[in-house]
Amino acid sequence: MKKLQLRIITSIFAGLFLGLFVFTSCEGPEGPAGKDGLNGTDGTPGLNGDVTCLVCHNADLKNQITVQFARSQHASGAIAVEYAGGRAACAQCHSHDGFVEWTLNGEVASDIADPKAWECSTCHDLHNTFDSTDYAFRVEGAVAMLDGSGATVDEGNNNLCINCHQARTGRASFDKDPTTYTRTFSGADYEVYKNTTAIGPNGSVTVDEVNMTVEVVFDVPTGYSYISSTHAGPHHGPQGNIWAGIGGTVAGVPYASHSGGCVGCHMGPESNHSFMPLAENCDACHGSKETEMDEIAERIQLVGEALEGIHAVHFSEEDGLFHPVYASLSTEHFDAWFNFMYLLEDRSHGAHNPTYYKAMLTQCETALGI
Ligand code: HEC
Ligand code: HEC
Ligand code: HEC
Ligand code: HEC
Ligand code: HEC
Ligand code: HEC
């Protein structure tokens, strides 16, 4: 099947080169309209199929893309090789092999022994239509979001990115029947939990100063939610949700102005396959928005500090980041924590959806009395 396809394609190329030769070498009077062709050329002058192929398939562009891609974090793939790329639960987003298996079978059935980082064929595969919008993507349809919201996002070439760059946990998954959780903390956690007050209305903290351990009973009645691990939250990379204005606890507007999407900002002419959101890519629409983004970054920092004040996060001197801590929080405080984790993991300082960022920050600030 594949061989047959290649043979057909080879003959298309042969035909096209012949066509190019005829078109460029003798500029005689216009001939009669040609027969309908496989590549959409129906013989009408101006619809010359070879030019379309060369827009994407030329040596200069291929060299540029190869160099750019080598600089992308997708190509270095530290996490793919060392950590998550082989694990069945993570591989669909974290390695070439996992993504390919997931696009073919809808799941990654078991761990992968020797996972590879991304390559051209992670995202690209075979052509479908050979027209000017056919980038030969491996997958391009609408994306059913994994955050439990039931939302679907269908936005052209951005779909490819959103398959992986999306949240995996929704706010609702933290709402459980009333219960209590008892945990004992020691080591570095001793200092973190010794004075915690995020224990719910009837929770308790018992400190053993001799053995340097803390036993905490987290009470989680109706109207409270529980931060159930130090990795809790929407997970890394919820950029697709934020751009589409979904996932936080307040209503959002999709992409709020940034309809060019992932591809417009991360694959503009200068950055292209490095996927870097260079300032040059913003120039098409407006000047620098650094002041606005700095203001947003400042607001996120203040919310983080307020959340540390109520024992919902812990600031680590080691990596300079806020991390979740186990806690029972009132709905309003929990929502603030959840929205904060979204903005922290999104990492765009507002660029992905300025309006949604501001709405989520306002919820945080109101709940925390900032
Ligand atoms: C739905 C796709 C998806 C799944 C499934 C997924 N991840 Fe990720 N993960 C991502 C994306 C996208 C990023 C990069 C986000 C970014 O750079 O902002 C990421 C980043 C990470 C990072 C790096 C965080 C950092 O700050 O550099 C770690 C660690 C990680 N994931 C672990 C895991 C583990 C472990 C699993 C499986 C239990 C998993 N991921 C499953 C999409 C996914
Ligand atoms: C992470 C996914 C991804 C990977 C990996 C990737 N591409 Fe692409 N590629 C895209 C997207 C998305 C577009 C469409 C960009 C747009 O809409 O402007 C694209 C467009 C292209 C184009 C069309 C010309 C252009 O500049 O728009 C070529 C050619 C191409 N890719 C080649 C490659 C090659 C060669 C590699 C490996 C070195 C590669 N791609 C790796 C996502 C990817
Ligand atoms: C919109 C950009 C674009 C156009 C136009 C385009 N291609 Fe491609 N093509 C790609 C990308 C991207 C890939 C995958 C990455 C790579 O190999 O550079 C690819 C891969 C291929 C492949 C290998 C995969 C396969 O489908 O078998 C062939 C052959 C090919 N193109 C032929 C053509 C021909 C013939 C035309 C014109 C009729 C054409 N392409 C037009 C972007 C394009
Ligand atoms: C197969 C899943 C997958 C696809 C498809 C994908 N990404 Fe990624 N992307 C990831 C993961 C996972 C990481 C983190 C890689 C690592 O650090 O090992 C990442 C890293 C990145 C980074 C760098 C993050 C950093 O910390 O510097 C950017 C930017 C990015 N992706 C943008 C995009 C864009 C734009 C697209 C679509 C054109 C896209 N990605 C498509 C999974 C994916
Ligand atoms: C309006 C332009 C814009 C759009 C649209 C956009 N991005 Fe971004 N993105 C940025 C900027 C700017 C940053 C932050 C860079 C910084 O300050 O480090 C960023 C950060 C990121 C990061 C973290 C990279 C890092 O180095 O920290 C990832 C991953 C990412 N974007 C992926 C995406 C994906 C996937 C989409 C589409 C769902 C998208 N972006 C849409 C501009 C954009
Ligand atoms: C396709 C057009 C387009 C592109 C490309 C684009 N933007 Fe925007 N952006 C807009 C529009 C329209 C607005 C709303 C009007 C305004 O504030 O200028 C906006 C607003 C913003 C805002 C909110 C400003 C505020 O008042 O709070 C930020 C931040 C922003 N853009 C960042 C970026 C960054 C960073 C890039 C490039 C990486 C970028 N944008 C690329 C169209 C675009």
Side-chain angles (χ1 to χ4, degrees):
M1 180 66 196
K2 174 116 190 190
K3 265 198 191 136
L4 180 66
Q5 209 160 6
L6 273 180
R7 229 176 275 150
I8 294 172
I9 286 160
T10 315
S11 37
I12 296 172
F13 267 128
L16 289 172
F17 278 115
L18 198 63
L20 189 66
F21 181 73
V22 173
F23 269 103
T24 49
S25 56
C26 49
E27 291 204 75
E30 202 177 280
K35 272 204 315 190
D36 279 3
L38 188 63
N39 61 10
T41 306
D42 64 1
T44 317
L47 283 180
N48 192 346
D50 52 331
V51 175
T52 312
C53 304
L54 291 173
V55 169
C56 299
H57 292 286
N58 63 77
D60 279 354
L61 184 57
K62 180 116 185 183
N63 291 343
Q64 278 170 28
I65 289 178
T66 307
V67 172
Q68 288 156 348
F69 185 62
R71 293 200 191 119
S72 151
Q73 212 172 335
H74 292 135
S76 58
I79 302 172
V81 179
E82 287 166 18
Y83 186 52
R87 286 168 60 182
C90 323
Q92 78 179 62
C93 303
H94 275 285
S95 64
H96 167 79
D97 318 60
F99 188 63
V100 170
E101 184 175 339
W102 175 75
T103 55
L104 294 175
N105 297 343
E107 61 164 355
V108 177
S110 55
D111 289 358
I112 297 164
D114 189 15
K116 293 192 292 294
W118 292 250
E119 47 195 57
C120 310
S121 69
T122 308
C123 297
H124 298 288
D125 187 28
L126 297 178
H127 277 293
N128 288 314
T129 56
F130 283 107
D131 67 15
S132 61
T133 59
D134 177 6
Y135 289 91
F137 287 137
R138 176 174 294 285
V139 56
E140 52 193 339
V143 183
M145 302 302 273
L146 301 170
D147 64 358
S149 65
T152 296
V153 177
D154 190 5
E155 287 297 326
N157 293 358
N158 301 301
N159 290 351
L160 176 65
C161 320
I162 297 169
N163 281 301
C164 301
H165 285 272
Q166 60 164 311
R168 289 189 289 137
T169 311
R171 169 67 182 86
S173 69
F174 291 93
D175 288 333
K176 301 259 159 65
D177 289 338
T179 185
T180 57
Y181 300 91
T182 304
R183 290 191 74 88
T184 304
F185 301 98
S186 59
D189 287 344
Y190 177 71
E191 290 300 329
V192 177
Y193 292 93
K194 202 168 59 157
N195 301 313
T196 184
T197 50
I199 54 176
N202 294 310
S204 63
V205 180
T206 311
V207 181
D208 177 345
E209 282 179 358
V210 177
N211 295 311
M212 304 258 289
T213 61
V214 188
E215 188 190 83
V216 183
V217 177
F218 297 97
D219 176 35
V220 194
T222 305
Y224 279 70
S225 295
Y226 181 53
I227 302 179
S228 51
S229 93
T230 53
H231 295 99
H235 186 66
H236 310 298
Q239 289 90 10
N241 306 64
I242 293 284
W243 181 64
I246 51 175
T249 69
V250 291
V253 180
Y255 1 109
S257 315
H258 286 147
S259 53
C262 324
V263 169
C265 290
H266 285 267
M267 299 185 76
E270 295 296 323
S271 47
N272 203 331
H273 279 69
S274 74
F275 302 99
M276 290 173 191
L278 298 181
E280 289 87 338
N281 301 340
C282 325
D283 292 347
C285 299
H286 54 62
S288 167
K289 296 285 186 190
E290 234 160 82
T291 316
E292 288 84 349
M293 288 164 69
D294 285 349
E295 272 169 28
I296 285 179
E298 175 68 17
R299 286 173 71 183
I300 295 175
Q301 179 68 21
L302 291 176
V303 169
E305 287 166 15
L307 283 168
E308 185 164 36
I310 63 163
H311 303 283
V313 297
H314 169 62
F315 184 78
S316 156
E317 299 289 348
E318 226 167 273
D319 60 11
L321 295 172
F322 288 103
H323 296 275
V325 295
Y326 291 89
S328 172
L329 300 173
S330 69
T331 298
E332 204 190 12
H333 282 169
F334 192 92
D335 286 354
W337 168 80
F338 191 74
N339 288 331
F340 169 77
M341 288 311 297
Y342 242 111
L343 302 184
L344 202 64
E345 300 278 25
D346 175 74
R347 302 202 287 152
S348 77
H349 309 135
H352 289 159
N353 192 332
T355 312
Y356 199 34
Y357 255 75
K358 287 174 193 164
M360 287 163 87
L361 280 168
T362 301
Q363 187 281 326
C364 296
E365 290 160 350
T366 308
L368 298 165
I370 298 174

